Every structure is written in C-alpha cells, then in structure tokens.
Amino acid sequence: SNYKHHQKAQPGLIIAYNKVNEPPFGFFCNFYRPYMKTYFLTGMFFLQSLILLSQPAATTANISQLQQEADRHIQRGYFDSAKTTLEKIIHTASNGKNKRAEAAALQQLADMMQQTGRLGEMRKYDSSLLQIAQQLKDTAGLIAVYNRNGV
C-alpha cells in the first residue's frame, strides 16, 4: 500500500505535484524559472557549438580509418565487407559535406563492382559519381566513369 510512495524517482522524469506557483507538468519542472532557463540554454548552446566545431576533424579521421579498413578487406578478397565499409564512407562523407571523399569511395566501389562482374551495381555507383565529379569539375573522375561504361 505504501510501496508507491517509497519508489525512487527516475532522474529527469520527476512528476511534480500541483503546488502553488508550479506548472502542472513534471518534465524538468524547475526550468520554468527564468534564470534556470538562461543557464540551461546557454549551456546547451555551448555544448552544441563544441560538437559542431569538432565534427569535421572527427569525420575526416573516421573516413581515413574506414578507408584503411576497406583497403584491408580488398587485399584479403573480402569484397562484400569492403563494399559495406565503402558505403559507410559514402554515408559519413555526404553527412560531413566531404564531396572528395564521397567521390573517392564511389570510384573505388564502381571499380570493385566492375572487377567482380556486378555491372548493375557498377552503373548505380557510377551515376552517383558522375554527378559529384561534375560538381567538383573532376576530369579524371569523369573519364573513369565514361571508360567504365564504354563511352
């Protein structure tokens, strides 16, 4: 019967009882005070700034680490693992607005698909690569795409 009153509250999910001058909802119920809100928002802004500033360096390091992993897979002949790793690079590079890394991974994927006889997948990667190579004005990339597709 009294068990309900002795339960420990989850942090951040405190259910406020309707006291005078308190809002009727419990989620972070103390942040209605103006000075608390200011500190909280300033702290969140600072945290977000730190995250955004550290992202490009972290993304580049992550891409080069993934590239080394993909190269190891290719050397060992694990083409499906290499394909998965290269697709991770494409995803990471496109999120980090790193067109050159994205193009390099697409180039490597298209080459690998051609060498393993998966021409449908090669064309899929080449069509994505063609758009990026045109944006970057990458002549070597364009020539590679056209050569692979017999132009």
Side-chain angles (χ1 to χ4, degrees):
S1 62
N2 274 350
Y3 177 72
K4 203 172 195 174
H5 297 289
H6 295 290
Q7 284 180 334
K8 287 188 176 180
Q10 295 286 322
L13 293 174
I14 299 162
I15 305 301
Y17 296 102
N18 280 333
K19 295 179 185 170
V20 183
N21 296 331
E22 281 197 22
F25 38 85
F27 191 69
F28 290 125
C29 56
N30 285 332
F31 284 152
Y32 76 96
R33 295 186 185 127
Y35 66 90
M36 285 295 287
K37 188 180 277 182
T38 306
Y39 287 141
F40 179 72
L41 292 176
T42 305
M44 290 307 290
F45 178 75
F46 181 71
L47 201 69
Q48 186 181 16
S49 301
L50 282 177
I51 291 167
L52 289 173
L53 283 172
S54 69
Q55 206 160 14
T59 303
T60 307
N62 192 19
I63 287 171
S64 63
Q65 195 174 8
L66 287 168
Q67 184 60 55
Q68 290 170 2
E69 187 182 322
D71 291 340
R72 281 195 303 273
H73 288 314
I74 290 168
Q75 286 166 3
R76 293 179 183 144
Y78 302 149
F79 297 119
D80 286 332
S81 299
K83 179 184 172 196
T84 304
T85 307
L86 288 166
E87 284 173 342
K88 280 184 198 169
I89 292 174
I90 292 167
H91 179 74
T92 306
S94 66
N95 284 349
K97 308 278 187 279
N98 188 341
K99 293 278 183 200
R100 294 223 174 267
E102 190 177 352
L106 283 165
Q107 185 79 263
Q108 206 169 357
L109 266 168
D111 276 339
M112 195 171 66
M113 292 302 114
Q114 183 185 30
Q115 290 164 9
T116 54
R118 297 191 254 184
L119 301 182
E121 288 181 74
M122 177 198 79
R123 287 188 195 91
K124 181 183 85 172
Y125 294 123
D126 271 341
S127 72
S128 299
L129 178 58
L130 190 60
Q131 293 172 354
I132 295 171
Q134 286 170 339
Q135 288 173 11
L136 295 172
K137 296 180 179 23
D138 177 10
T139 312
L142 290 169
I143 290 169
V145 171
Y146 292 139
N147 281 340
R148 262 195 304 271
N149 290 281
V151 176

